[in-house]
Amino acid sequence: MKSRVVILGAGFGGLELATMLSEALGDDIDVTLIDKNDAFVFGYAKLDVMFGRTTPDAVRFAYSDIAKPGVRFLQERITAIGPEARRVTTDGGVHDADVLVVALGADYDLDATPGLAEAGNEFYSVGGAERLRDVLPTFSQGRAIVGVCGAPFKCPPAPSEAALLLHDYLSARGVRDECEISFVIPFGSPVPPSPDTSRALVAAFAERGIEFVPDRRVRSLDPGRRVAVLDDGSENPYDLFLGVPKHRAPDVVIASGMTEDGYVPVNPKTLETRFPDVYAVGDVATIGVPKAGVFAEGAARIVAASLIARLRGGQEPGAYDGLGSCYIEFGGGRVGRVDVDFLSGPKPTGTFHEPSDALVREKHDFGSSRRARWFSS
Ligand SMILES: Cc1cc2nc3c(=O)[nH]c(=O)nc-3n(C[C@H](O)[C@H](O)[C@H](O)COP(=O)(O)OP(=O)(O)OC[C@H]3O[C@@H](n4cnc5c(N)ncnc54)[C@H](O)[C@@H]3O)c2cc1C
């Protein structure tokens, strides 16, 4: 009988895992890939949608286009996960697995920040980005705050990019002089593992008159007074709030009993959970790397290589290396890159690559190559 691999979540991690298994094993394996949505959207595309640089339809890649030997995609909502029995319940039925991989990402907990749901706008979901696309044109004067409500959060450079792109957006509309932009982040610098990247971002904020407020988290919003309250109790008035909500593992993962301190602990070298033949990759897992697509993808590759070695015979992969590169929009169409190494040394390190035309092309290729790889047969 073919091995049944059930992959929960068709994001960066789930898509890469299904692709690698299909490439290596084709119809010799039975892969079920489950997601509640009908399409995948790259995280960074949310910034493009919110600033009207593209349309929501243009950034959706339909799961119905996945046509890979050995892989079956099911659009179902997962309602329960039994890690001991490797049994998954969805709104469409029950799925039993020989190997279960949890790749359900991180959800947003808007209620953890009082006032955010009523008085703020989040730009971390597709829905939030779409709403902002309609809200931003109505903002022509006053104070905008780009604020992070809790760490860890996905793609640490993303809120810095949002502040810089907001500057561009308001400048293009000729209203930048009537507006202030303030950026609140609970880290001492925008990208802590890379002082060079952080210096370049802080310089970019200063050049554009963006106020940088490090080491602070937005604790709550007061809708009546339109004030953001930070974790030191200080009050910051705003006319437009663009928020990164607090993150947490999806409820169904928490209810499964797999989490500790909010996320699923795994062996950082192999991505194995404490349950036999159950793995967790990407934002849902605690590994010691940031919550970003490149890291989810790298972890998925290790799990895929290990399963391929097990089923085909062959060499087990080396340990997961915790390496990844993130592109950073600096505004004005400029794109830089930071290469980060989270696991090999005593502390994370990062190398900064100055914005260049080559990196603009590289970021474009990053998206298009994955689209081609994950969504073609
Ligand atoms: C604004 C922004 C910019 C970003 N920029 C970058 C970037 O430039 N580079 C980068 O590498 N990363 C970036 N990221 C981060 C990146 O998007 C995530 O870290 C990455 O998607 C995580 O991959 P994952 O596979 O762990 O989870 P996800 O890609 O989030 O996939 C999880 C999947 O699980 C599904 N799911 C969840 N619950 C259920 C359920 N109950 N039933 C069925 N399905 C379910 C979801 O629908 C989702 O498709 C950015 C994120 C944001 C928000």
Side-chain angles (χ1 to χ4, degrees), residues 9-14 34-37 40 43-44 46-47 63 76-78 103-105 108 123-124 154-155 158 250 252 281-284 291-294 296 327:
F12 259 89
I34 306 177
D35 204 289
K36 63 185 177 193
N37 289 333
F40 171 76
Y44 57 74
K46 291 161 195 167
L47 296 172
Y63 291 129
E76 294 178 6
R77 177 178 293 274
I78 296 148
L104 290 169
Y108 305 128
F123 58 94
Y124 257 48
K154 294 182 198 181
C155 191
V252 69
V281 298
D283 291 353
V284 77
K291 300 202 179 302
V294 280
Y327 299 98

Side-chain angles (χ1 to χ4, degrees), residues 197-209:
T197 310
S198 293
R199 260 191 296 279
L201 283 167
V202 170
F205 300 149
E207 278 162 24
R208 292 160 178 79

